[in-house]
């Protein structure tokens, strides 16, 4: 009985977050969610992070989630789920604030990245922790190598780096520097931290944030994926022609 109740609550939570096709026609986030639901592996992994990051926190009260389990479940989703489906959920385009707010809450809930303090911490804290972590550090380096502007290239970005940039960005979800959409009126992303209390390391802090907030290569990769999403979902088993890509260990 408890198992059935938990499953029902999970389903209700997903519907509240993403809406339904009947009420949000043309919502690409809903289309991506439906495609994930139809895939057994994607749905199982999504249910796992929903339970760890959203469900338990919501049912037991604020601050009750286990952050390490939430982050691990998020990493597993992107490491083991079909990239076409996981990326479609992460980078789905929105035209209205309601859709955008649901998208913002889907992959980086408060359990995954925010703390009990009222103001976000300095980015130097999660950045320093990431650079000391054997799991986070290579993911951050991969993101920098794949998404950072490259002045010597044709368009100022790494050659053919769009798909690699998106994979590297997705690899940061579930780490201490988990990025997320900033608000429900734009597609701007950033880690949940600021630079106001960075002291004499303010420049270093700002440089890190600009990798997300002022990065034309990341913005271009997200926009390119959004424009191709319908065909990506139709060909979900062969995204980017890299079906043999090695999975990042969660």
């Amino acid at each position: 009985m408890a198992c059935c109740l938990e499953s029902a609550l999970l389903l209700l939570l997903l519907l509240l977050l993403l809406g339904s096709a009947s009420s949000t026609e043309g919502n690409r986030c809903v289309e991506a969610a439906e495609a994930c639901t139809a895939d057994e592996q994607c749905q199982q992994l999504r249910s796992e992070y929903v339970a760890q990051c959203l469900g338990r926190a919501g049912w037991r009260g604020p601050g009750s989630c286990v952050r390490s389990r939430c982050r691990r479940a998020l990493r597993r989703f992107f490491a083991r789920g079909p990239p076409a489906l996981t990326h479609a959920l992460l980078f789905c385009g929105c035209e209205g604030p309601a859709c955008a707010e649901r998208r913002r809450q889907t992959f980086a809930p408060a359990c995954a990245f925010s703390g009990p303090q009222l103001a976000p911490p300095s980015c130097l804290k999660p950045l320093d922790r990431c650079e000391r972590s054997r799991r986070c550090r290579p993911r951050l380096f991969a993101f920098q190598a794949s998404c950072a502007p490259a002045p010597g290239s044709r368009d100022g970005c790494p050659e053919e780096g769009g798909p690699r940039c998106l994979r590297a960005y997705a690899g940061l979800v579930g780490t201490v520097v988990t990025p997320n959409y900033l608000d429900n009126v734009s597609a701007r992303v950033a880690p949940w931290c600021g630079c106001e209390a960075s002291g004499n390391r303010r420049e270093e802090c700002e440089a890190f944030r600009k990798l997300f907030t002022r990065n034309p290569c990341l913005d271009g990769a997200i926009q390119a994926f959004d424009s191709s999403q319908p065909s990506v979902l139709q060909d979900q088993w062969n995204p980017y022609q890299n079906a043999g890509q090695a999975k990042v260990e969660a």
Side-chain angles (χ1 to χ4, degrees):
M1 181 68 177
C3 178
C4 295
L5 177 60
E6 181 172 341
S7 298
L9 287 171
L10 280 176
L11 178 59
L12 177 60
L13 184 58
L14 285 172
L15 290 175
L16 289 173
L17 280 173
L18 295 170
S20 62
S22 61
S23 61
T24 53
E25 184 176 357
N27 184 329
R28 290 188 177 180
C29 292
V30 171
E31 294 171 358
E34 290 178 339
C36 179
T37 300
D39 181 87
E40 182 178 358
Q41 183 182 29
C42 185
Q43 172 63 0
Q44 179 180 351
L45 292 167
R46 185 177 64 166
S47 296
E48 179 183 341
Y49 83 71
V50 167
Q52 296 292 345
C53 300
L54 297 166
R56 294 179 182 179
W59 303 335
R60 300 180 185 177
S64 63
C65 76
V66 180
R67 183 156 299 160
S68 60
R69 294 179 181 176
C70 171
R71 288 176 173 170
R72 182 166 61 247
L74 286 168
R75 294 194 303 270
R76 281 168 54 87
F77 180 78
F78 288 105
R80 302 185 181 186
L85 300 179
T86 60
H87 287 187
L89 277 168
L90 181 59
F91 301 114
C92 58
C94 281
E95 296 182 358
C99 168
E101 178 61 14
R102 287 191 293 268
R103 177 184 62 183
R104 191 185 69 80
Q105 293 183 33
T106 300
F107 280 114
C111 177
F113 66 99
S114 66
Q117 64 270 27
L118 297 178
S122 166
C123 286
L124 294 175
K125 292 183 179 180
L127 177 59
D128 288 344
R129 287 181 59 191
C130 182
E131 290 180 340
R132 293 194 303 266
S133 167
R134 288 182 295 177
R135 175 182 292 115
C136 184
R137 184 178 182 181
R139 293 171 186 245
L140 179 58
F141 283 172
F143 174 73
Q144 292 171 320
S146 302
C147 299
S153 64
R154 182 178 56 188
D155 61 355
C157 298
E159 291 294 331
E160 301 180 356
R164 291 198 306 273
C165 179
L166 297 186
R167 289 196 297 270
Y169 178 94
L172 291 177
V173 178
T175 70
V176 69
V177 292
T178 293
N180 192 19
Y181 293 96
L182 285 175
D183 50 50
N184 61 4
V185 295
S186 72
R188 295 182 302 141
V189 297
W192 192 81
C193 56
C195 293
E196 290 73 13
S198 301
N200 58 6
R201 296 177 62 191
R202 179 70 179 256
E203 186 175 348
E204 178 186 355
C205 181
E206 293 288 0
F208 170 68
R209 274 187 61 84
K210 286 179 182 177
L211 283 172
F212 301 90
T213 61
R214 299 181 183 179
N215 189 333
C217 302
L218 175 60
D219 293 343
I222 293 175
Q223 291 170 7
F225 182 88
D226 181 41
S227 64
S228 66
Q229 182 174 338
S231 61
V232 169
L233 288 177
Q234 291 172 5
D235 193 25
Q236 61 183 270
W237 299 116
N238 191 26
Y240 310 131
Q241 306 298 315
N242 70 340
Q245 160 190 336
K247 300 291 186 182
V248 178
E249 183 179 354

